[in-house]
Short mmCIF file of all heavy atoms in Angstrom, two decimals:
data_model
loop_
_atom_site.label_atom_id
_atom_site.label_comp_id
_atom_site.label_asym_id
_atom_site.label_seq_id
_atom_site.Cartn_x
_atom_site.Cartn_y
_atom_site.Cartn_z
N ILE A 885 0.28 -12.39 5.68
CA ILE A 885 0.93 -13.01 6.79
C ILE A 885 0.08 -12.92 8.01
O ILE A 885 -0.30 -11.82 8.57
CB ILE A 885 2.33 -12.34 7.17
CG1 ILE A 885 3.20 -12.38 5.85
CG2 ILE A 885 2.96 -12.91 8.33
CD1 ILE A 885 4.48 -11.63 6.06
N GLU A 886 -0.21 -14.11 8.66
CA GLU A 886 -0.92 -14.09 9.96
C GLU A 886 0.08 -14.32 11.10
O GLU A 886 0.82 -15.25 11.11
CB GLU A 886 -1.87 -15.41 9.98
CG GLU A 886 -2.72 -15.46 11.19
CD GLU A 886 -3.62 -16.63 11.33
OE1 GLU A 886 -3.70 -17.31 10.34
OE2 GLU A 886 -4.32 -16.80 12.27
N LEU A 887 0.18 -13.36 11.96
CA LEU A 887 0.99 -13.40 13.06
C LEU A 887 0.32 -13.81 14.27
O LEU A 887 -0.58 -12.96 14.84
CB LEU A 887 1.86 -11.95 13.14
CG LEU A 887 2.75 -11.92 14.25
CD1 LEU A 887 3.91 -12.81 13.94
CD2 LEU A 887 3.24 -10.43 14.34
N GLY A 888 0.69 -14.98 14.78
CA GLY A 888 -0.06 -15.55 15.94
C GLY A 888 0.57 -14.98 17.19
O GLY A 888 1.67 -14.99 17.35
N MET A 889 -0.47 -14.68 18.16
CA MET A 889 0.04 -14.18 19.38
C MET A 889 0.03 -15.38 20.37
O MET A 889 -0.95 -16.10 20.60
CB MET A 889 -1.03 -13.26 19.95
CG MET A 889 -0.87 -12.75 21.37
SD MET A 889 0.86 -11.97 21.61
CE MET A 889 1.06 -12.39 23.27
N PRO A 890 1.27 -15.72 20.98
CA PRO A 890 1.33 -16.98 21.86
C PRO A 890 0.62 -16.76 23.04
O PRO A 890 0.49 -15.61 23.49
CB PRO A 890 2.79 -17.04 22.08
CG PRO A 890 3.34 -15.69 21.89
CD PRO A 890 2.46 -15.07 20.79
N PHE A 891 -0.06 -17.83 23.52
CA PHE A 891 -0.83 -17.69 24.66
C PHE A 891 -0.70 -19.10 25.44
O PHE A 891 -0.22 -19.90 24.85
CB PHE A 891 -2.27 -17.25 24.58
CG PHE A 891 -3.09 -18.25 23.61
CD1 PHE A 891 -3.96 -19.21 24.19
CD2 PHE A 891 -3.05 -18.10 22.30
CE1 PHE A 891 -4.67 -20.03 23.38
CE2 PHE A 891 -3.62 -18.87 21.41
CZ PHE A 891 -4.46 -19.93 21.92
N THR A 892 -1.15 -19.09 26.70
CA THR A 892 -0.78 -20.14 27.53
C THR A 892 -1.47 -21.47 27.28
O THR A 892 -1.06 -22.55 27.86
CB THR A 892 -1.04 -19.85 29.04
OG1 THR A 892 -2.33 -19.46 29.24
CG2 THR A 892 -0.01 -18.72 29.49
N ASP A 893 -2.64 -21.51 26.59
CA ASP A 893 -3.44 -22.76 26.43
C ASP A 893 -3.95 -22.75 25.06
O ASP A 893 -5.25 -22.86 24.85
CB ASP A 893 -4.48 -22.75 27.64
CG ASP A 893 -5.23 -24.04 27.59
OD1 ASP A 893 -4.68 -25.05 27.19
OD2 ASP A 893 -6.42 -24.08 28.10
N PRO A 894 -3.10 -23.09 24.07
CA PRO A 894 -3.57 -23.10 22.68
C PRO A 894 -3.92 -24.53 22.15
O PRO A 894 -3.58 -25.00 21.27
CB PRO A 894 -2.29 -22.57 21.94
CG PRO A 894 -1.25 -23.24 22.74
CD PRO A 894 -1.62 -23.04 24.25
N MET A 895 -4.66 -25.22 23.06
CA MET A 895 -5.15 -26.49 22.78
C MET A 895 -5.67 -26.76 21.33
O MET A 895 -5.45 -27.93 20.79
CB MET A 895 -6.27 -27.02 23.74
CG MET A 895 -5.59 -27.04 25.23
SD MET A 895 -4.03 -28.04 25.35
CE MET A 895 -4.83 -29.55 25.16
N ALA A 896 -6.45 -25.86 20.67
CA ALA A 896 -7.05 -26.20 19.47
C ALA A 896 -6.16 -25.95 18.25
O ALA A 896 -6.52 -26.26 17.17
CB ALA A 896 -8.38 -25.29 19.37
N ASP A 897 -4.95 -25.38 18.56
CA ASP A 897 -3.97 -25.07 17.56
C ASP A 897 -3.16 -26.25 17.05
O ASP A 897 -2.41 -26.10 16.08
CB ASP A 897 -3.03 -23.92 18.05
CG ASP A 897 -3.89 -22.56 17.94
OD1 ASP A 897 -4.90 -22.51 17.28
OD2 ASP A 897 -3.39 -21.69 18.72
N GLY A 898 -3.10 -27.29 17.78
CA GLY A 898 -2.34 -28.40 17.40
C GLY A 898 -0.81 -28.35 17.98
O GLY A 898 -0.47 -27.35 18.34
N PRO A 899 -0.22 -29.50 17.85
CA PRO A 899 0.99 -29.56 18.51
C PRO A 899 2.21 -28.60 18.06
O PRO A 899 2.97 -27.98 18.81
CB PRO A 899 1.53 -30.95 18.39
CG PRO A 899 0.66 -31.49 17.37
CD PRO A 899 -0.60 -30.76 17.30
N THR A 900 2.17 -28.31 16.65
CA THR A 900 3.29 -27.51 16.23
C THR A 900 3.14 -26.03 16.63
O THR A 900 4.07 -25.43 17.09
CB THR A 900 3.16 -27.43 14.68
OG1 THR A 900 3.36 -28.85 14.21
CG2 THR A 900 4.33 -26.63 14.09
N ILE A 901 1.95 -25.50 16.56
CA ILE A 901 1.63 -24.13 17.03
C ILE A 901 1.75 -24.06 18.53
O ILE A 901 2.18 -23.15 19.10
CB ILE A 901 0.44 -23.56 16.45
CG1 ILE A 901 0.52 -23.46 15.00
CG2 ILE A 901 -0.10 -22.26 17.01
CD1 ILE A 901 -0.82 -23.20 14.24
N GLN A 902 1.40 -25.06 19.22
CA GLN A 902 1.35 -25.16 20.74
C GLN A 902 2.83 -25.04 21.06
O GLN A 902 3.30 -24.14 22.01
CB GLN A 902 0.90 -26.40 21.19
CG GLN A 902 -0.71 -26.53 21.24
CD GLN A 902 -1.14 -27.94 21.63
OE1 GLN A 902 -0.48 -28.72 22.16
NE2 GLN A 902 -2.39 -28.10 21.46
N LEU A 903 3.70 -25.70 20.45
CA LEU A 903 5.23 -25.71 20.78
C LEU A 903 5.84 -24.33 20.51
O LEU A 903 6.58 -23.80 21.25
CB LEU A 903 5.86 -26.86 20.19
CG LEU A 903 5.68 -28.22 20.64
CD1 LEU A 903 6.26 -29.32 19.78
CD2 LEU A 903 6.14 -28.41 22.09
N ALA A 904 5.38 -23.84 19.39
CA ALA A 904 5.90 -22.48 18.93
C ALA A 904 5.49 -21.39 19.95
O ALA A 904 6.21 -20.56 20.47
CB ALA A 904 5.31 -22.05 17.52
N GLY A 905 4.27 -21.46 20.42
CA GLY A 905 3.77 -20.57 21.51
C GLY A 905 4.59 -20.77 22.90
O GLY A 905 4.87 -19.78 23.52
N GLN A 906 4.77 -22.01 23.19
CA GLN A 906 5.61 -22.22 24.37
C GLN A 906 6.97 -21.66 24.33
O GLN A 906 7.34 -20.95 25.36
CB GLN A 906 5.58 -23.66 24.75
CG GLN A 906 4.14 -24.37 25.21
CD GLN A 906 4.20 -25.85 25.27
OE1 GLN A 906 5.17 -26.50 24.91
NE2 GLN A 906 2.98 -26.44 25.58
N ARG A 907 7.49 -21.89 23.16
CA ARG A 907 8.91 -21.36 22.98
C ARG A 907 8.93 -19.80 23.10
O ARG A 907 9.75 -19.20 23.71
CB ARG A 907 9.61 -21.68 21.65
CG ARG A 907 9.89 -23.16 21.61
CD ARG A 907 10.72 -23.47 20.31
NE ARG A 907 9.92 -23.31 19.15
CZ ARG A 907 9.20 -24.21 18.42
NH1 ARG A 907 9.18 -25.42 18.90
NH2 ARG A 907 8.61 -23.80 17.42
N ALA A 908 7.88 -19.18 22.43
CA ALA A 908 7.82 -17.69 22.43
C ALA A 908 7.45 -17.22 23.82
O ALA A 908 8.17 -16.27 24.19
CB ALA A 908 6.55 -17.29 21.47
N LEU A 909 6.66 -17.85 24.54
CA LEU A 909 6.40 -17.32 25.92
C LEU A 909 7.62 -17.56 26.84
O LEU A 909 7.98 -16.73 27.61
CB LEU A 909 5.20 -18.13 26.51
CG LEU A 909 3.86 -17.75 25.84
CD1 LEU A 909 2.71 -18.73 26.29
CD2 LEU A 909 3.50 -16.31 26.11
N ALA A 910 8.28 -18.64 26.66
CA ALA A 910 9.46 -19.00 27.55
C ALA A 910 10.53 -17.96 27.14
O ALA A 910 11.37 -17.59 27.95
CB ALA A 910 10.04 -20.33 27.15
N GLY A 911 10.53 -17.40 25.86
CA GLY A 911 11.44 -16.33 25.52
C GLY A 911 11.10 -14.93 25.81
O GLY A 911 11.83 -13.91 25.66
N GLY A 912 9.83 -14.79 26.54
CA GLY A 912 9.58 -13.47 27.08
C GLY A 912 8.54 -12.61 26.07
O GLY A 912 8.33 -11.51 26.33
N GLN A 913 8.02 -13.39 25.03
CA GLN A 913 7.03 -12.71 24.20
C GLN A 913 5.85 -12.30 24.99
O GLN A 913 5.28 -13.02 25.73
CB GLN A 913 6.50 -13.57 23.05
CG GLN A 913 5.87 -12.84 21.94
CD GLN A 913 6.81 -11.75 21.30
OE1 GLN A 913 8.03 -11.89 21.20
NE2 GLN A 913 6.18 -10.82 20.50
N THR A 914 5.43 -11.05 24.70
CA THR A 914 4.25 -10.46 25.48
C THR A 914 3.29 -9.89 24.24
O THR A 914 3.78 -9.63 23.08
CB THR A 914 4.50 -9.40 26.45
OG1 THR A 914 5.18 -8.28 25.68
CG2 THR A 914 5.56 -9.79 27.37
N LEU A 915 2.12 -9.47 24.63
CA LEU A 915 1.18 -8.79 23.70
C LEU A 915 1.75 -7.59 23.26
O LEU A 915 1.84 -7.15 22.01
CB LEU A 915 -0.22 -8.65 24.37
CG LEU A 915 -1.16 -7.80 23.58
CD1 LEU A 915 -1.40 -8.55 22.17
CD2 LEU A 915 -2.50 -7.67 24.24
N GLN A 916 2.37 -6.70 24.27
CA GLN A 916 3.06 -5.48 23.81
C GLN A 916 4.05 -5.67 22.91
O GLN A 916 4.15 -4.85 21.90
CB GLN A 916 3.46 -4.61 25.13
CG GLN A 916 3.71 -3.24 24.82
CD GLN A 916 2.66 -2.46 24.14
OE1 GLN A 916 1.61 -2.31 24.66
NE2 GLN A 916 2.90 -1.84 22.98
N LYS A 917 5.00 -6.56 23.16
CA LYS A 917 6.10 -6.86 22.21
C LYS A 917 5.47 -7.23 20.80
O LYS A 917 6.08 -6.69 19.81
CB LYS A 917 7.02 -7.88 22.66
CG LYS A 917 7.81 -7.51 23.92
CD LYS A 917 8.65 -8.64 24.31
CE LYS A 917 9.62 -8.30 25.49
NZ LYS A 917 10.33 -9.37 26.03
N THR A 918 4.54 -7.87 20.79
CA THR A 918 3.88 -8.39 19.51
C THR A 918 3.41 -7.03 18.73
O THR A 918 3.60 -6.96 17.54
CB THR A 918 2.88 -9.47 19.65
OG1 THR A 918 3.38 -10.57 20.35
CG2 THR A 918 2.20 -9.83 18.37
N LEU A 919 2.57 -6.32 19.38
CA LEU A 919 1.99 -5.05 18.76
C LEU A 919 3.15 -4.19 18.35
O LEU A 919 3.13 -3.69 17.23
CB LEU A 919 1.14 -4.43 19.78
CG LEU A 919 -0.10 -5.15 20.31
CD1 LEU A 919 -0.97 -4.39 21.30
CD2 LEU A 919 -0.98 -5.52 18.89
#
């Protein structure tokens, strides 16, 4: 399982992962929460 860390500018990841990252960040996901 690859667990992606959302970040603010995931241009190379494509629209699906970009939107997932945006939703995660909007929901308050942080590096510390991920770890």
Side-chain angles (χ1 to χ4, degrees):
I885 300 171
E886 181 182 356
L887 184 61
M889 175 61 211
F891 58 100
T892 57
D893 191 21
M895 295 305 289
D897 288 335
T900 301
I901 296 174
Q902 288 174 8
L903 290 171
Q906 290 170 359
R907 288 188 300 265
L909 292 171
Q913 190 66 23
T914 64
L915 176 59
Q916 188 59 57
K917 287 180 181 179
T918 301
L919 295 174

